[in-house]
Amino acid sequence: MTGALVSQPSSSDLVATIERARTLLDAGDVELALKLSAVAYDQAKAAAGSAERVKASRDLIDKARRMQADALKIESMCYVAMADAVDTAQAKGEISRGGRPKTVSDDNGFTLDEVGIDRQQLHAARKLRNAVRAEPEFVERIVEARLSEGLEPSRAALKKAAGHAVGTKTATKDERGDDLYETPIEAM
């Protein structure tokens, strides 16, 4: 019966995964670091959510949020590095910029799929990269601000802070403002 149970990673396993992702990023293995940090982020987020549901101690919840924040920071830096790598490759003519005529011969180039991201992720990564270039401590500041407010350090909060559009499905009523369109008097 015990063989049928799925084992959950312990917090020390999660810390080790985050440290391994950080080491891989420092060593230049961005793709593997991204994968590890994304898994660690998801596991830490699940652990924090579970801890909140069972009304665990604030220390335990904060510890899970801290691990989630660390994984998010690594993941963000991986996306910044990938955006830089894609832009460099496009400048060298190794990845097509799209459109016609083809700018890269089939035998010389590689695709975004081979890099490990799609066009939407690349767009988000470029926005994040631009925010980091404008303010080098951008990711750190946003994540730490969320933690100090007692909020979850989420990908969505980071994207919003990097200048992504806020849709009506994800924004609160206060963030959207007055959705009612009123025709100006001059147009009547």
Side-chain angles (χ1 to χ4, degrees), residues 85-105:
V86 168
D87 287 349
T88 301
Q90 283 181 335
K92 290 179 180 177
E94 295 169 349
I95 294 181
S96 174
R97 294 178 85 49
R100 294 197 184 265
K102 282 189 172 184
T103 55
V104 178
S105 64

Side-chain angles (χ1 to χ4, degrees), residues 20 32 62 180:
R20 183 161 181 237
L32 188 54
D62 289 345
L180 177 65

Side-chain angles (χ1 to χ4, degrees), residues 37-111:
S37 62
V39 167
Y41 172 87
D42 291 337
Q43 289 176 347
K45 181 175 180 169
S50 296
E52 285 179 343
R53 272 192 305 281
V54 298
K55 309 243 186 286
S57 71
R58 191 73 221 165
D59 288 343
L60 187 61
I61 295 169
D62 289 345
K63 184 178 179 182
R65 293 279 182 237
R66 172 58 53 196
M67 287 188 286
Q68 183 180 355
D70 290 343
L72 180 60
K73 290 174 192 177
I74 296 167
E75 182 180 31
S76 299
M77 291 302 105
C78 288
Y79 277 119
V80 168
M82 287 179 112
D84 285 340
V86 168
D87 287 349
T88 301
Q90 283 181 335
K92 290 179 180 177
E94 295 169 349
I95 294 181
S96 174
R97 294 178 85 49
R100 294 197 184 265
K102 282 189 172 184
T103 55
V104 178
S105 64
D106 291 334
D107 56 338
N108 290 348
F110 58 95
T111 64

Side-chain angles (χ1 to χ4, degrees), residues 131 138 141-142 155-164:
F138 172 78
R141 181 178 58 83
I142 297 300
R155 292 172 178 142
L158 198 57
K159 286 179 182 178
K160 182 179 175 187
H164 294 267

Side-chain angles (χ1 to χ4, degrees), residues 3-23:
L5 296 175
V6 176
S7 67
Q8 293 293 323
S10 69
S11 97
S12 62
D13 292 340
L14 194 51
V15 170
T17 301
I18 292 169
E19 288 306 315
R20 183 161 181 237
R22 183 175 286 123
T23 303

Side-chain angles (χ1 to χ4, degrees), residues 82-159:
M82 287 179 112
D84 285 340
V86 168
D87 287 349
T88 301
Q90 283 181 335
K92 290 179 180 177
E94 295 169 349
I95 294 181
S96 174
R97 294 178 85 49
R100 294 197 184 265
K102 282 189 172 184
T103 55
V104 178
S105 64
D106 291 334
D107 56 338
N108 290 348
F110 58 95
T111 64
L112 289 178
D113 289 338
E114 292 171 3
V115 175
I117 60 175
D118 61 20
R119 287 181 15 211
Q120 274 188 322
Q121 289 173 320
L122 178 60
H123 178 70
R126 284 177 172 158
K127 282 196 166 245
L128 182 61
R129 187 239 359 244
N130 293 344
V132 168
R133 280 188 180 165
E135 180 188 342
E137 297 297 319
F138 172 78
V139 173
E140 181 80 21
R141 181 178 58 83
I142 297 300
V143 170
E144 293 302 323
R146 296 282 296 181
L147 285 174
S148 68
E149 294 169 2
L151 300 172
E152 171 189 6
S154 65
R155 292 172 178 142
L158 198 57
K159 286 179 182 178

